[in-house]
Amino acid sequence: LTSLENLLFTQHLSGRAPTRSIAMALMKRLFIEHRAHAKTYTLSIGEQQRLAIARALVNHPALILADEPSSALDDSNCQKMIQLLLDVATENNASLIIVTHDNRIKDMIFNHITLQ
């Protein structure tokens, strides 16, 4: 599947009508809209990770669980991705739980628990 088809299929599997505009808007927010018609196996690791985040968000979940969401992202994309997760959680009145070792994220999250 292409990146766009992947998101549309995710919507279909949830019982929602596939909505291209929602899928493309998410891809744009994650800076991968230019890869919409690329096969997923041709994406870089960072692009694949951002597409996986888009798949997790495309159906407007009430709970977002993100396990090491920034592991393959550079500093700029890490910041953008975390901000997107925070924005989408707020927009959808969703709970967001992030599990990470990435110290770049800690300062961006208001409530956090550090395990030692």
Side-chain angles (χ1 to χ4, degrees):
L1 298 175
T2 67
S3 299
L4 178 59
E5 290 168 340
N6 212 286
L7 294 177
L8 296 175
F9 188 59
T10 300
Q11 289 177 314
H12 171 76
L13 289 176
S14 74
R16 295 175 183 258
T19 308
R20 180 185 172 97
S21 61
I22 291 172
M24 287 301 295
L26 258 177
M27 291 182 75
K28 183 174 183 170
R29 288 176 82 175
L30 287 162
F31 305 97
I32 54 173
E33 75 274 11
H34 66 286
R35 304 291 281 155
H37 300 291
K39 298 288 186 182
T40 56
Y41 61 84
T42 67
L43 302 178
S44 71
I45 298 298
E47 289 169 339
Q48 288 176 10
Q49 189 162 17
R50 286 180 278 159
L51 180 60
I53 291 165
R55 284 185 58 181
L57 300 177
V58 74
N59 289 318
H60 310 289
L63 174 63
I64 303 166
L65 301 173
D67 182 16
E68 297 291 353
S70 60
S71 63
L73 302 178
D74 60 29
D75 289 345
S76 175
N77 282 316
C78 172
Q79 186 174 22
K80 292 171 187 171
M81 182 273 309
I82 292 298
Q83 191 59 56
L84 174 66
L85 288 174
L86 292 168
D87 291 347
V88 169
T90 300
E91 291 164 12
N92 294 322
N93 198 28
S95 298
L96 171 63
I97 298 174
I98 299 173
V99 178
T100 188
H101 294 93
D102 192 338
N103 286 325
R104 299 176 296 178
I105 294 174
K106 189 172 22 173
D107 294 333
M108 297 179 70
I109 305 299
F110 179 70
N111 293 318
H112 62 272
I113 298 170
T114 302
L115 301 178
Q116 296 188 19

